[in-house]
């Protein structure tokens, strides 16, 4: 491979990206060296198996990806604001279009929610860690190195440019030569390993590690949403894994699974992709529903209305999510019967979703609502998501879909669903659990300013797209005509308002770190679930004494009886896992194997894979059984944390 093929050349924006990467990397290295933080970084973060720290690293990575995906979105909206714009050429636009969708779904939404799961779920069920701490660390590093592999494509080798769905034959070797599409395949594959492992980990954690007395229908609703989501992950992600592997074999080794020649079936990629892709929508929506339920119940000062109906509706949504994938290609010519079946299943999934809306409204009814920033994100979600849901039912009608399909009406719909459903939840959950993670609240005034900028910008950006779509503007277009200009200008202005909202949120993080009052109690919001029963900062072992659960909203009952999770009379040594550097080393070697495979350097990839196998063997002979936290240390830690 020639040097000019290895490094992308040509555009000022790409040169700017290269320079920014170098400068940021140099700044990080300088700060770590100047303040002598290398040992601290390795000991406290890079080798940690503490679920809380792993969750925080997931969230920080997701925020970085939100910035990256958001910048891509602003660049696309700038290109589409006026006819004959030359801000981006067609190739660069295709690359940014592809990376925007992939980054936002795979590397932002999912890790953000998985980060919140990591921080909160073990605390909510009274556990001291997840079932497999080593696997949890490996899952994070798998995700992070997958995200890194995908993102370096912008400056080394060339970005993928076949869309985030990477439909064949466009994504095949004949029509998309070069390493760009390989970055997509290997980046998603590497990240997907971690996601699948996370699903298994949380399934086992929730089934086996609940506090004594906690029955399944006494679990907090966010834990239930995590549990149901884990099942979807375990059943859906192997489909994506197989599809990515088959296309990788097509591109690198010359097979013909999805080609136009040699009896390949390009449409099979679309089927496999959406058999994973539509359950994936609910992988990022169901945890969001759990977050909204926790926040609304807390700030309405009421038990969640219709708890069991909420749980069963999530289970029903999970089942139906695997039966609707064909609505993504009603126009492919499958016939009236097939389209009718999947049209009915698509509309049917709206029923349990509607049940949830009424559960939240029932919780709010005659309640004393506290208008905190977290609550405002949750309240804004309800009408916004209803708009997205109603237009989803419109798209679910096969006959009408012939009009809406591949138009900007569809773009407006899925952004209304995914941004109001997932991004609003990410902000709501982060603000809500922020004091539990960092020991102080985010500033409410700045938080509300960020909220209004983002939410107003969201509606200004995407609501006009319904109408420009009905007027005939196709999705995936790189240029507009004069008739579509006014609504596109409005849409672009909304996108920049959203960007301003995110910038204000980041400023709030800095401001609150500097000036916010430190938390002196673990119960920052007068919470209802067990995570608020722990002191802040949360000890690495979570609970000094494991609580016994007798009802829903366990912490409400504990507070009513004056109980805490620190009972000096019943303290016993606590067994905890040891930190280890094996997960990051193993996934770094896997990253190198994937990188070599991207450029089809087969022997280097094989050598790296042998290195991964060696790491697995080392792990197999690792007899470190962890350590015990002695009673005296527990007493000192708890008294210090609780100010006793």
């Amino acid at each position: 491979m020639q040097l000019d093929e290895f490094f992308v050349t040509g555009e000022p924006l790409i040169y700017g990206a290269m320079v920014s990467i170098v400068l940021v990397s140099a700044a990080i290295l300088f700060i770590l060296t100047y303040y002598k933080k290398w040992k601290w970084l390795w000991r406290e973060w890079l080798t940690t198996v503490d679920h809380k720290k792993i969750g925080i690293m997931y969230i920080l990575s997701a925020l970085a990806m939100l910035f990256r995906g958001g910048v891509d979105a602003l660049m696309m909206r700038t290109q589409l604001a006026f006819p004959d714009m030359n801000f981006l050429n067609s190739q660069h636009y295709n690359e940014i279009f592809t990376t925007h969708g992939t980054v936002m779904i795979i590397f932002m939404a999912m890790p953000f929610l998985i980060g919140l799961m990591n921080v909160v779920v073990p605390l909510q069920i009274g556990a001291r860690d997840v079932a497999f701490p080593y696997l949890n660390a490996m899952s994070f590093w798998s995700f992070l190195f997958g995200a890194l592999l995908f993102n370096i494509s912008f400056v080394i080798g060339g970005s993928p440019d076949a869309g985030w769905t990477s439909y064949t034959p466009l994504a095949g070797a004949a029509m998309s030569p070069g390493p760009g599409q390989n970055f997509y395949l290997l980046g998603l594959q590497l990240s997907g390993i971690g996601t699948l492992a996370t699903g298994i980990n949380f399934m086992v954690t929730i089934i086996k590690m609940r506090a004594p007395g906690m029955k399944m229908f006494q679990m907090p609703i966010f834990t239930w949403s995590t549990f149901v989501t884990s099942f979807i992950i375990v059943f859906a992600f192997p489909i994506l894994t197989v599809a990515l592997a088959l296309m990788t074999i097509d591109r690198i080794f010359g097979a013909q699974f999805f080609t136009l020649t040699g009896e390949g079936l390009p449409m099979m990629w679309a089927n496999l992709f959406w058999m994973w892709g539509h359950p994936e929508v609910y992988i990022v929506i169901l945890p969001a529903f759990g977050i909204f339920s926790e926040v609304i119940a807390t700030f309405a000062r009421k038990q969640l209305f219709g708890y069991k109906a909420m749980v069963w509706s999530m289970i029903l949504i999970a089942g139906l999510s695997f039966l609707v994938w064909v609505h993504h290609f009603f126009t492919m010519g499958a016939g009236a019967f097939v389209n009718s079946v999947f049209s009915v299943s698509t509309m049917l999934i709206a029923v349990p979703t509607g049940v949830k809306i009424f559960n939240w409204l029932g919780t709010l009814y005659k309640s004393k609502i506290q208008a905190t920033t977290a609550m405002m994100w949750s309240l804004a979600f309800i009408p916004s998501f209803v708009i997205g849901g109603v237009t989803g039912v419109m798209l679910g009608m096969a006959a009408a879909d012939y009009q809406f399909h591949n138009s900007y009406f569809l773009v407006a719909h899925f952004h209304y669903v995914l941004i109001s459903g997932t991004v609003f939840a990410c902000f709501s959950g982060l603000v809500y659990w922020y004091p539990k993670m960092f020991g102080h609240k985010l500033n409410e005034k700045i938080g509300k300013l960020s909220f209004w900028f983002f939410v107003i910008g969201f509606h200004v950006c995407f609501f006009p797209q319904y109408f420009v779509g009905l007027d005939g503007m196709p999705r995936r277009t790189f240029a507009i005509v004069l008739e579509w200009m006014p609504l596109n200008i409005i849409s672009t202005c909304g996108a920049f308002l959203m960007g301003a909202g995110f910038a204000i949120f980041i400023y709030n993080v800095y401001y609150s770190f500097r000036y916010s009052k430190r938390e002196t109690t673990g119960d920052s919001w007068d919470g209802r679930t067990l995570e608020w029963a722990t002191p802040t900062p949360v000890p690495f072992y979570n609970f000094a004494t494991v609580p016994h659960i007798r009802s829903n909203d366990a912490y409400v009952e504990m507070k009513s009886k004056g109980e805490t999770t620190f009972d000096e009379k019943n303290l016993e040594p606590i067994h905890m896992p040891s930190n280890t550097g094996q997960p990051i080393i193993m996934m770094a070697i896997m990253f190198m194997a994937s990188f070599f495979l991207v450029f089809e350097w087969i022997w280097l990839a094989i050598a790296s894979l042998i290195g991964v196998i060696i790491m697995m063997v080392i792990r197999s002979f690792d007899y470190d059984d962890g350590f015990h936290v002695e009673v005296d240390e527990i007493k000192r830690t708890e008294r210090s944390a609780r100010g006793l």
Side-chain angles (χ1 to χ4, degrees), residues 557-572:
E557 184 184 44
M558 288 179 64
K559 286 190 284 189
S560 70
K561 295 182 177 180
E563 298 175 355
T564 70
T565 58
F566 177 46
D567 182 359
E568 283 200 55
K569 297 178 182 178
N570 294 313
L571 289 178
E572 296 178 353

Side-chain angles (χ1 to χ4, degrees), residues 421-564:
T422 300
V423 179
F424 284 19
C426 290
F427 282 125
S428 181
L430 181 56
V431 172
Y432 179 59
W433 284 303
Y434 196 90
K436 187 55 63 178
M437 290 185 270
F438 298 105
H440 62 273
K441 294 178 180 176
L442 289 171
N443 182 276
E444 283 287 303
K445 287 185 178 179
I446 301 174
K448 289 175 181 177
L449 183 65
S450 167
F451 164 82
W452 285 115
F453 265 90
F454 196 95
V455 172
I456 292 171
F458 163 70
H459 287 287
V460 171
C461 179
F462 294 107
F463 199 69
Q465 292 179 10
Y466 283 120
F467 299 97
V468 78
L470 292 174
D471 197 36
M473 181 173 168
R475 61 192 294 208
R476 307 186 181 102
T477 187
F478 139 79
I480 64 169
V481 297
L482 189 62
E483 290 78 10
W484 302 329
M485 185 178 74
L487 289 176
N488 272 284
I489 291 174
I490 294 171
S491 186
T492 299
C493 290
F496 277 90
L497 280 176
M498 292 169 70
F502 178 72
I504 294 169
F505 177 84
I506 297 301
Y507 172 72
N508 194 12
V509 172
Y510 163 76
Y511 180 91
S512 301
F513 174 75
R514 289 285 304 272
Y515 303 112
S516 283
K517 182 181 177 182
R518 304 299 104 166
E519 290 291 303
T520 56
T521 173
D523 190 10
S524 305
W525 308 109
D526 191 17
R528 309 183 68 82
T529 45
L530 282 178
E531 71 269 29
W532 303 110
T534 59
T536 299
V538 184
F540 64 92
Y541 50 77
N542 292 352
F543 297 93
T545 51
V546 176
H548 287 257
I549 309 304
R550 292 175 289 272
S551 65
N552 292 8
D553 289 344
Y555 189 41
V556 173
E557 184 184 44
M558 288 179 64
K559 286 190 284 189
S560 70
K561 295 182 177 180
E563 298 175 355
T564 70

Side-chain angles (χ1 to χ4, degrees), residues 221-538:
I221 202 71
F222 180 62
T223 298
W224 256 114
S225 70
T226 300
F227 187 55
V228 175
T229 299
S230 298
F231 271 92
I232 302 178
I233 288 172
V234 168
F235 283 99
F237 260 82
I239 303 172
L240 179 67
T241 299
V242 169
L244 292 170
L246 293 178
M247 192 189 285
T248 303
I249 294 168
D250 265 13
R251 290 182 55 87
I252 296 178
F253 300 104
Q256 296 178 327
F257 293 109
F258 304 122
T259 61
L260 286 170
T261 58
E263 300 184 6
L265 294 172
M267 195 63 211
M268 186 55 67
W269 168 266
N271 274 280
L272 290 172
F273 182 89
W274 286 114
M275 285 173 72
W276 161 81
H278 204 86
E280 163 66 18
V281 172
Y282 294 97
I283 289 171
V284 297
I285 285 292
L286 288 181
F289 288 168
I291 292 168
F292 292 131
S293 299
E294 298 286 357
V295 171
I296 288 172
T298 298
F299 295 113
R301 298 282 172 247
K302 283 173 64 179
Q303 191 173 38
L304 184 67
F305 178 83
Y307 169 88
K308 287 189 177 180
M310 184 74 84
V311 171
W312 283 111
S313 66
M314 284 194 294
I315 294 170
L316 189 57
I317 286 172
L320 289 171
S321 71
F322 287 90
L323 304 176
V324 297
W325 81 93
V326 175
H327 72 213
H328 289 274
F329 30 87
F330 276 149
T331 59
M332 76 172 185
F337 176 75
V338 172
N339 283 359
S340 297
V341 169
F342 285 93
S343 183
V344 170
S345 66
T346 299
M347 293 188 216
L348 192 61
I349 208 167
V351 176
T353 308
V355 168
K356 292 180 174 301
I357 299 292
F358 287 107
N359 285 144
W360 292 315
L361 294 176
T363 307
L364 293 168
Y365 181 63
K366 290 189 176 180
S367 64
K368 296 180 180 179
I369 298 173
Q370 284 186 292
T372 61
T373 306
M375 186 62 157
M376 289 171 67
W377 282 109
S378 296
L379 294 177
F381 147 77
I382 295 175
S384 305
F385 189 79
V386 167
I387 294 171
V390 169
T391 53
V393 172
M394 294 170 66
L395 286 158
M397 295 183 286
D401 189 64
Y402 274 78
Q403 168 68 29
F404 304 135
H405 195 72
N406 276 340
S407 76
Y408 251 73
F409 186 93
L410 180 59
V411 175
H413 155 71
F414 68 67
H415 281 89
Y416 257 87
V417 171
L418 288 174
I419 293 181
S420 69
T422 300
V423 179
F424 284 19
C426 290
F427 282 125
S428 181
L430 181 56
V431 172
Y432 179 59
W433 284 303
Y434 196 90
K436 187 55 63 178
M437 290 185 270
F438 298 105
H440 62 273
K441 294 178 180 176
L442 289 171
N443 182 276
E444 283 287 303
K445 287 185 178 179
I446 301 174
K448 289 175 181 177
L449 183 65
S450 167
F451 164 82
W452 285 115
F453 265 90
F454 196 95
V455 172
I456 292 171
F458 163 70
H459 287 287
V460 171
C461 179
F462 294 107
F463 199 69
Q465 292 179 10
Y466 283 120
F467 299 97
V468 78
L470 292 174
D471 197 36
M473 181 173 168
R475 61 192 294 208
R476 307 186 181 102
T477 187
F478 139 79
I480 64 169
V481 297
L482 189 62
E483 290 78 10
W484 302 329
M485 185 178 74
L487 289 176
N488 272 284
I489 291 174
I490 294 171
S491 186
T492 299
C493 290
F496 277 90
L497 280 176
M498 292 169 70
F502 178 72
I504 294 169
F505 177 84
I506 297 301
Y507 172 72
N508 194 12
V509 172
Y510 163 76
Y511 180 91
S512 301
F513 174 75
R514 289 285 304 272
Y515 303 112
S516 283
K517 182 181 177 182
R518 304 299 104 166
E519 290 291 303
T520 56
T521 173
D523 190 10
S524 305
W525 308 109
D526 191 17
R528 309 183 68 82
T529 45
L530 282 178
E531 71 269 29
W532 303 110
T534 59
T536 299
V538 184

Side-chain angles (χ1 to χ4, degrees), residues 11 13-14 68 71-82 85-101 154 159-164 408 411 415 465 473-480 488:
E11 292 210 20
L13 286 172
I14 297 175
R68 161 73 205 272
V71 170
D72 285 347
L74 294 179
M75 293 168 71
M76 285 192 292
R77 285 307 326 157
T78 301
Q79 170 64 25
L80 293 174
F82 299 97
M85 280 288 284
N86 291 314
F87 180 69
L88 303 172
N89 64 35
S90 58
Q91 176 61 26
H92 196 180
Y93 183 90
N94 285 344
E95 293 175 1
I96 286 173
F97 170 85
T98 301
T99 55
H100 167 73
F154 197 63
S159 288
D161 59 0
W164 85 275
Y408 251 73
V411 175
H415 281 89
Q465 292 179 10
M473 181 173 168
R475 61 192 294 208
R476 307 186 181 102
T477 187
F478 139 79
I480 64 169
N488 272 284

